[in-house]
Amino acid sequence: MNKVLDKNEIEMLVRRYLKETGVSLAKRAAKREYIVAANWKMNMTEKETKKFLKELKETDIADNIRVMIFPPYPYLYIFKEMLRYEKIAYGAQDVAKEEQGAYTGEVSAAMLGDMGCPLTLVGHSERRSYYGDTSEIVAKKAKAALEHQISPMICIGETLEEREGHRYQEVLKEQLDAVYAGLGSRISGCLIAYEPVWAIGTGVIPTLEQISETHKYIYQVLRSYGVAGEEIRILYGGSVNAGNVKEIGSVRHVDGFLIGGASLKAESFKHIIRLASEV
Ligand code: PGA
């Protein structure tokens, strides 16, 4: 038989509940957290990189912002040297799917891990379209990264033709399914960047409704793999700049931004970081 609790017992239970859940409640009440990530692609010089980092280090970065920068390989060591103990993380733009051996021009996850590199992009649309990275290859690269404690940021996105042909959900699912097939539950250790190919470097961005609907869809696909909601981080990328970052950031399931062109000047990137903290 159920025991009827008296007033004191109820109070005690409520106090215990609040104490036990206090941390997560406080966390939930805190400001939404955003990742502001820079994809430098094949840009910048050594001198520009050092100047950029010096400026960025002098900036106040709000507690709800995580900054990530993906420079070209030769500059990773500058980040390693200049960013000791800083709250700015860095990563490679790509990684080999093979462990080691006769693969001229490739850089392995073991090498990146060796130098303490914590992140890598995989499957950026430029890699997929210019260098033949299929979804299966992307999955192998992500797997290689995870094996060396490097968190992959997996880029997915549809072309304009696929968007207009209403096939974008199918395409995104195929891209995610391939990663899930290769990683299984370890997919929860990946960040996802949704970058519609038609929005990259074009100045054209999807409507907020399209971003909202697509991020929700990606979230649901990840949930269907058993990834816990709080582990899911979906960034939006494609023509993000200071003029649109706040409205894109206000969309549900947008957990950050992957920025190309507008991340190449410290002033513009810092401005975006500041705006993202105000969303
Ligand atoms: P963009 O590039 O911001 O210049 O459109 C984004 C990306 O390719 O990651």
Side-chain angles (χ1 to χ4, degrees):
M1 215 174 80
N2 283 341
K3 180 178 173 283
V4 178
L5 300 177
D6 67 28
K7 193 168 162 279
N8 287 342
E9 285 171 316
I10 291 173
E11 256 179 31
M12 203 184 76
L13 279 179
V14 170
R15 266 202 305 277
R16 194 193 303 159
Y17 172 78
L18 283 177
K19 193 166 168 236
E20 280 170 5
T21 58
V23 177
S24 64
L25 283 180
K27 222 173 168 183
R28 262 181 220 162
K31 251 186 144 204
R32 220 171 124 185
E33 198 170 90
Y34 290 97
I35 295 168
V36 183
N39 174 13
W40 283 1
K41 310 191 182 187
M42 202 169 71
N43 292 298
M44 305 292 260
T45 62
E46 182 178 291
K47 201 169 156 200
E48 285 165 347
T49 300
K50 286 183 177 163
K51 188 167 169 280
F52 186 110
L53 279 188
K54 195 169 169 290
E55 268 188 60
L56 192 60
K57 281 172 58 158
E58 283 160 5
T59 314
D60 264 349
I61 297 172
D63 285 343
N64 67 326
I65 300 294
R66 301 274 160 271
V67 176
M68 299 176 179
I69 303 178
F70 298 92
Y73 285 132
Y75 306 144
L76 284 171
Y77 84 94
I78 302 176
F79 283 73
K80 180 182 158 99
E81 279 171 11
M82 286 183 72
L83 293 181
R84 229 164 274 171
Y85 318 119
E86 304 289 330
K87 8 195 246 186
I88 305 158
Y90 63 93
Q93 294 175 12
D94 192 29
V95 65
K97 62 183 188 309
E98 296 84 8
E99 185 62 26
Q100 64 156 58
Y103 302 101
T104 304
E106 290 291 89
V107 174
S108 73
M111 292 167 186
L112 293 173
D114 226 10
M115 70 168 294
C117 177
L119 297 159
T120 186
L121 293 179
V122 276
H124 188 280
S125 77
E126 287 148 18
R127 301 285 332 162
R128 291 181 192 255
S129 63
Y130 306 150
Y131 303 98
D133 282 10
T134 61
S135 294
E136 287 66 36
I137 291 176
V138 170
K140 285 185 184 156
K141 290 183 169 186
K143 193 165 175 211
L146 283 169
E147 266 154 25
H148 292 276
Q149 285 71 52
I150 298 166
S151 307
M153 184 184 288
I154 296 167
C155 306
I156 58 171
E158 81 285 354
T159 62
L160 187 58
E161 202 189 339
E162 288 157 351
R163 165 66 59 173
E164 288 177 346
H166 302 286
R167 287 193 293 118
Y168 61 97
Q169 291 197 343
E170 203 182 300
V171 170
L172 296 171
K173 177 126 174 36
E174 176 271 327
Q175 292 174 344
L176 288 168
D177 278 352
V179 177
Y180 181 57
L183 298 184
S185 62
R186 283 188 294 169
I187 196 171
S188 62
C190 301
L191 299 156
I192 305 293
Y194 168 57
E195 300 201 297
V197 179
W198 46 282
I200 296 177
T202 58
V204 178
I205 60 159
T207 63
L208 296 186
E209 289 70 34
Q210 286 174 321
I211 296 177
S212 165
E213 192 259 339
T214 313
H215 275 239
K216 185 174 170 203
Y217 177 71
I218 295 167
Y219 179 88
Q220 283 166 346
V221 172
L222 292 168
R223 289 286 292 132
S224 76
Y225 302 148
V227 183
E230 60 272 19
E231 284 178 327
I232 297 175
R233 293 279 178 283
I234 309 166
L235 285 73
Y236 169 81
S239 297
V240 175
N241 59 40
N244 57 30
V245 67
K246 273 186 141 175
E247 52 175 23
I248 297 174
S250 67
V251 174
R252 186 142 185 254
H253 300 307
V254 170
D255 303 302
F257 318 91
L258 181 55
I259 309 158
S263 74
L264 294 174
K265 292 262 175 292
E267 206 43 58
S268 138
F269 190 53
K270 278 171 11 185
H271 191 194
I272 294 175
I273 291 174
R274 207 163 40 244
L275 291 168
S277 75
E278 294 166 4
V279 178

